[in-house]
Amino acid sequence: MTLRSAALAAALLLTTAARAQVPADTVALSLGDALGLAEVGSARTSIAGLRVTEAEARVQQARSALFPNLSAAVGFSERTTNSASLGFDFPTAPGAPPRSNLLGPVGVFDVRLRGSQPLYDPAIRARVAVARVAVTGGQAEREATAEDAIAQAGTAYVQAATAAARIDARRRDVVIARELLDVAQAQLDAGIAVGIDVIRARTQVAVAEGQLELARNARDQADLDVARALGLVPGLHFALTDSLTSSLGTSQAPAGVQAAVAAALAARPDLQAARARTDAAREAVRATRLESLPRVDVAADVGLNGPYNTVLGTNSVGIQLAVPLFDGHRRRARVAEQTAQVRESEIAAADLEAQIAADVQSALIGIASGQRQQALAQERLDLSAEELSQARERFANGIAGNTDVVNAQGSLNRARDAVIDAEAASALARLRLARAVGTVRTLG
């Protein structure tokens, strides 16, 4: 967890009591809180940010070739030279002992300051341009990673809200089941009903309580997913302040498929990153081709050299023109490789554009379908509630057994689940649309 995400988590914990009456280990969490925390707390986002830093450092590395290169050295050596090995044979005087061909040892000090500076090298500047484009691509990748993290957090939030809605539905089922058990027991005590009606009612209570326990388990699992998506320590519980119908609000996409696709193509950071990779590949081809041009360097070497008592200043200054003539076709092969990489990047970017258009259209279809599903599920819920009301009335009046009541209760349970599923599908479709268009940060 980053320091900023830890600070946000602490702020959430401190403001929980003011926002809702929840247990001490529970955080009141809105969708906006979740999205904001996911943007800074995700490990993937942090890694993407570090990659941008790495790319910026590579720019400086590439630019360093444009600056002077200086080095200094200090040395001392003792030299003994064989004059005969150099072709010198000094004669000796008659009668004198043979003269040694060894000269020395002579102690020699050497102090050097060397420097070089490229005056003209277009390939260096092209490599700097490649590194700068890579920074742009890295920044777009970081934004795309952040949006992925936000979308993942939004999905986890919707799933947690779905689990919370199921818990509420199961609690209502338990209340109804217990009410029906009380009615069945009263009918049995009055001699209107039979024992099997009570058994059926108790079975329904057990079933409803078992389903409630399953819903609670799903809610605990959803809390783990939310904590993981936000980069928080697992074990926290969340009191969600947004429901399925309010959590994602209305779509932020422009009206109409074409307008939404156009907005997505202009805003999606992953597409910008893909285009930056294509630009970087093109710059790399250009840099490799420029390596075949002449380069001009100036170099200087100044210092002191000689025995310690006769050290003399020595220096050299020169300018060099280097012209590449033949490198075994290595540059040509690199250009061929990099040209293929350009084409690969272009194909990937074009494919991503098509995928973005498909994502937008799929999300719009999902939103329309979700709205229809919600209307149908609500109608089904109303009818199921009416069916249960009539079945209870018939059972209370002794006209029929509670079999119809049990069946109607099961139908009502399924209708509640259908409403929850439709609301969850609509919320996820709105989330997918926001991610497809590149406006996921505006949710909540």
Side-chain angles (χ1 to χ4, degrees):
M1 187 192 306
T2 64
L3 290 177
R4 185 178 176 187
S5 64
L8 285 174
L12 288 175
L13 288 169
L14 290 174
T15 57
T16 291
R19 297 172 56 179
Q21 295 298 320
V22 295
D25 64 342
T26 301
V27 177
L29 186 71
S30 69
L31 178 65
D33 293 334
L35 300 186
L37 191 56
E39 183 174 3
V40 298
S42 168
R44 291 187 301 158
T45 304
S46 299
I47 292 172
L50 291 174
R51 287 175 179 167
V52 173
T53 303
E54 294 167 6
E56 291 171 343
R58 284 192 288 271
V59 173
Q60 184 57 43
Q61 293 174 35
R63 291 181 68 245
S64 65
L66 296 172
F67 294 95
N69 188 353
L70 297 175
S71 64
V74 178
F76 173 78
S77 62
E78 286 190 344
R79 300 178 183 176
T80 300
T81 304
N82 185 348
S83 61
S85 66
L86 300 177
F88 297 101
D89 187 11
F90 299 103
T92 59
R99 183 173 180 174
S100 174
N101 292 326
L102 296 180
L103 302 177
V106 177
V108 177
F109 286 94
D110 188 72
V111 180
R112 298 280 102 194
L113 178 63
R114 300 182 179 92
S116 63
Q117 168 68 52
L119 298 181
Y120 175 77
D121 191 340
I124 294 178
R125 298 186 180 277
R127 285 191 287 270
V128 173
V130 173
R132 285 174 174 163
V133 174
V135 171
T136 302
Q139 292 169 340
E141 288 280 6
R142 179 183 59 192
E143 292 300 308
T145 302
E147 290 209 348
D148 285 341
I150 293 171
Q152 182 180 355
T155 300
Y157 194 96
V158 170
Q159 291 171 344
T162 302
R166 292 197 192 282
I167 288 179
D168 183 62
R170 298 293 80 82
R171 285 172 176 163
R172 294 182 185 181
D173 295 341
V174 170
V175 170
I176 292 175
R178 288 174 177 169
E179 290 176 353
L180 294 177
L181 176 59
D182 292 340
V183 172
Q185 187 64 51
Q187 295 287 71
L188 179 63
D189 294 342
I192 301 174
V194 295
I196 193 171
D197 291 334
V198 176
I199 294 175
R200 290 195 191 103
R202 287 177 176 172
T203 301
Q204 286 302 108
V205 171
V207 170
E209 290 178 344
Q211 291 177 340
L212 175 58
E213 184 58 33
L214 290 175
R216 286 170 175 162
N217 178 68
R219 182 68 177 83
D220 291 339
Q221 293 293 328
D223 279 343
L224 290 175
D225 293 338
V226 170
R228 188 73 183 93
L230 302 186
L232 301 177
V233 177
L236 288 174
H237 295 283
F238 301 95
L240 306 183
T241 60
D242 291 315
S243 65
L244 284 174
T245 54
S246 66
S247 59
L248 295 178
T250 58
S251 171
Q252 301 294 317
V257 175
Q258 297 301 324
V261 171
L265 294 178
R268 283 278 291 264
D270 51 350
L271 180 58
Q272 296 173 5
R275 290 169 175 168
R277 285 192 292 271
T278 302
D279 293 340
R282 291 194 183 104
E283 288 293 335
V285 172
R286 177 172 171 269
T288 302
R289 286 174 173 162
L290 289 175
E291 290 177 5
S292 62
L293 296 180
R295 61 172 291 169
V296 179
D297 297 306
V298 61
D301 184 327
V302 297
L304 301 173
N305 181 267
Y308 68 91
N309 56 348
T310 57
V311 174
L312 300 176
T314 59
N315 62 79
S316 66
V317 177
I319 187 169
Q320 173 180 289
L321 172 66
V323 181
L325 296 179
F326 181 71
D327 65 350
H329 303 297
R330 182 174 59 88
R331 277 191 302 274
R332 188 171 68 180
R334 287 169 56 201
V335 168
E337 177 188 5
Q338 292 164 345
T339 301
Q341 291 173 348
V342 170
R343 183 56 182 153
E344 177 185 344
S345 298
E346 290 173 343
I347 294 173
D351 183 68
L352 182 56
E353 290 180 6
Q355 183 61 53
I356 289 172
D359 290 344
V360 171
Q361 295 182 54
S362 175
L364 290 173
I365 292 172
I367 289 176
S369 175
Q371 292 172 344
R372 292 192 296 269
Q373 289 179 39
Q374 283 184 267
L376 293 173
Q378 187 60 50
E379 181 181 2
R380 176 182 173 183
L381 179 61
D382 294 340
L383 293 172
S384 297
E386 179 64 24
E387 178 187 0
L388 178 60
S389 177
Q390 294 186 14
R392 291 180 65 176
E393 183 178 354
R394 286 168 57 84
F395 178 61
N397 293 330
I399 299 174
N402 69 345
T403 301
D404 291 342
V405 177
V406 171
N407 291 336
Q409 183 183 0
S411 178
L412 181 64
N413 295 352
R414 292 188 293 273
R416 285 198 181 110
D417 283 340
V419 170
I420 294 171
D421 290 340
E423 291 175 348
S426 294
L428 289 174
R430 291 194 295 272
L431 178 63
R432 287 197 303 271
L433 179 61
R435 177 66 184 93
V437 178
T439 59
V440 71
R441 284 183 171 86
T442 65
L443 297 176

